[in-house]
Amino acid sequence: IYNSGSGFAPDWIEYYKSHNIDYKLVNPYDSDIIEQLSDCDAFMWHHCHNDYKDLLFAKQLTAAIETSGKIVFPNHNTGWHFDDKIGEKYLFEALNIPAVKSYIFYDKHSALKWAKGTSYPKVFKLRGGAGSANVILAKDLRQAKRLIYKSFGKGFKAFRAKDYFKERYKNWKSGHDDFYGVIKALGRFISAPKLMRLIENQKGYAYFQDFMPGNDFDTRVTIIGEKAFAFRRAVRKDDFRASGSGEIIYGDIDLSMIKMAFEAADKIKSQSLALDFIYNTEHQPVIIECSYGFIQNAPNKSGGYWTKDLKWHISKSNDLCGDMVKDVVDCVKKKMLNA
């Protein structure tokens, strides 16, 4: 395990300790990481979407370790499309998973031609970013053209201090942040977060999604093994985005979304899958995007989980990270029995 001190890792370690399972701490940033893993059966690393180092090599390292025959979390099926909306577009289409229609262009001419012939509004996104970061509503052709020209020009910074300040200010006004967060955001006009300074500008492509009106919330469904955890997130005030709003709503979950999430997880063959749902214009559930990594507080507090038969099971203390470890340990045991 690599213990970054955040994300899934602390809970993973607690599970290993409480169940008397041997584990070892390793450092994936060391050049000899493969040697460090020589006496290990599995490798678990909650790599991050906004750390330039992780973006450089995390998927390649985990793929190499998995190719060597070791059990990995996240494995290839789970992690190759992580924080990559372009990859998710192809994945959903290839597996016939119901998702919001998306469009990708790799040259300015094709993007402008499409923009002149499509309807509006459209949602412009960069391939990476969480919590509604890098998501812009193009209300008309003029705005779409401006985004396209920028996409094939200087591009978009991975971190934009102005957007970050607006986000923290909104959170403070709505009671989801303290004033210190606003002060901290002001400081970001001087210096961007250390882990994001070296991430290159996003450019050379333009990615859009259809806009689905009338959604006051989205629904996050997380599949871990044979369990589904779900909650809703209210759309931000005077905005169209729900992710990162902080307005968590438990209960009243559309069971068709639970069913679709299990089906998607089976097709993708993922160890961990968080799916964001909204309704299309026919009021049918469709997926916006997916991720293997997520903040576990909300699903852990959901009060229980669904199984594939769509039955609800009450659980006061859900342990998503424990289920992840159990799955990895079970895979190791199965491999040893078949050896």
Side-chain angles (χ1 to χ4, degrees):
I1 299 175
Y2 172 63
N3 184 16
S4 64
S6 61
F8 297 153
D11 289 337
W12 286 342
I13 291 172
E14 182 60 33
Y15 184 92
Y16 275 106
K17 287 181 177 179
S18 64
H19 289 76
N20 297 314
I21 301 171
D22 291 335
Y23 72 94
K24 173 183 177 181
L25 296 182
V26 297
N27 188 348
Y29 305 107
D30 289 344
S31 183
D32 67 345
I33 178 60
I34 300 299
E35 183 180 343
Q36 291 181 40
L37 292 168
S38 61
D39 59 346
C40 298
D41 297 304
F43 174 55
M44 301 183 73
W45 177 20
H46 185 180
H47 54 81
C48 188
H49 68 280
N50 59 6
D51 185 330
Y52 80 94
K53 300 189 299 297
D54 293 11
L55 293 175
L56 277 174
F57 78 99
K59 294 178 183 179
Q60 291 80 0
L61 175 62
T62 52
I65 295 169
E66 185 176 4
T67 301
S68 76
K70 296 183 187 294
I71 306 300
V72 172
F73 183 96
N75 62 16
H76 177 74
N77 288 339
T78 303
W80 74 262
H81 46 82
F82 172 54
D83 198 42
D84 184 350
K85 295 175 181 63
I86 297 174
E88 292 169 21
K89 164 190 163 59
Y90 295 137
L91 178 68
F92 295 150
E93 290 176 357
L95 297 180
N96 197 28
I97 295 172
V100 177
K101 178 69 174 176
S102 59
Y103 313 84
I104 181 67
F105 306 96
Y106 299 106
D107 67 86
K108 183 169 64 178
H109 175 75
S110 298
L112 289 172
K113 182 179 179 181
W114 168 83
K116 291 173 183 176
T118 193
S119 60
Y120 292 92
K122 284 288 188 288
V123 180
F124 173 85
K125 296 183 177 183
L126 298 183
R127 72 187 306 166
S132 291
N134 305 326
V135 178
I136 303 167
L137 188 65
K139 297 180 180 179
D140 51 34
L141 174 60
R142 181 182 62 85
Q143 289 183 318
K145 288 173 67 175
R146 187 171 69 241
L147 291 166
I148 290 168
Y149 278 113
K150 189 172 182 179
S151 296
F152 293 98
K154 66 180 181 180
F156 296 82
K157 292 181 179 180
F159 179 82
R160 297 184 294 281
K162 183 178 179 180
D163 293 341
Y164 181 71
F165 175 78
K166 287 181 178 179
E167 186 75 11
R168 297 303 292 262
Y169 183 78
K170 278 186 176 180
N171 287 342
W172 172 62
K173 292 290 286 184
S174 63
H176 293 104
D177 200 352
D178 55 31
F179 191 67
Y180 173 74
V182 179
I183 300 300
K184 183 179 178 181
L186 284 171
R188 292 307 186 192
F189 282 95
I190 301 172
S191 177
K194 182 179 178 181
L195 295 178
M196 301 189 75
R197 291 175 199 163
L198 295 181
I199 299 178
E200 296 179 349
N201 282 10
Q202 292 285 300
K203 58 183 178 179
Y205 69 92
Y207 176 88
F208 291 87
Q209 277 187 334
D210 283 341
F211 174 69
M212 297 297 156
N215 284 280
D216 297 325
F217 58 88
D218 74 1
T219 302
R220 163 66 64 89
V221 182
T222 303
I223 304 292
I224 308 292
E226 300 297 312
K227 299 178 182 179
F229 307 84
F231 56 90
R232 296 185 297 166
R233 299 176 295 193
V235 167
R236 306 158 185 237
K237 185 179 180 181
D238 301 322
D239 204 333
F240 70 99
R241 301 168 300 172
S243 179
S245 71
E247 295 284 350
I248 305 299
I249 306 165
Y250 295 105
D252 197 22
I253 302 298
D254 185 339
L255 290 184
S256 66
M257 294 180 179
I258 303 296
K259 182 176 183 293
M260 288 173 61
F262 272 122
E263 291 171 350
D266 285 344
K267 288 181 178 180
I268 296 171
K269 297 181 173 59
S270 58
Q271 299 160 308
S272 166
L273 185 66
L275 296 157
D276 295 339
F277 287 88
I278 56 174
Y279 292 103
N280 63 17
T281 53
E282 286 76 41
H283 203 67
Q284 297 298 316
V286 285
I287 296 168
I288 310 172
E289 56 192 59
C290 68
S291 175
Y292 94 86
F294 49 87
I295 298 173
Q296 57 265 40
N297 286 347
N300 271 335
K301 294 178 180 178
S302 58
Y305 59 88
W306 287 268
T307 43
K308 284 189 174 182
D309 56 6
L310 301 184
K311 290 184 178 179
W312 171 251
H313 304 264
I314 296 174
S315 177
K316 293 183 179 180
S317 56
N318 297 321
D319 185 8
L320 284 76
C321 290
D323 288 337
M324 293 174 191
V325 175
K326 184 178 182 299
D327 178 64
V328 168
V329 172
D330 288 346
C331 287
V332 170
K333 290 178 179 178
K334 183 178 180 180
K335 180 184 174 184
M336 293 176 69
L337 286 172
N338 293 333

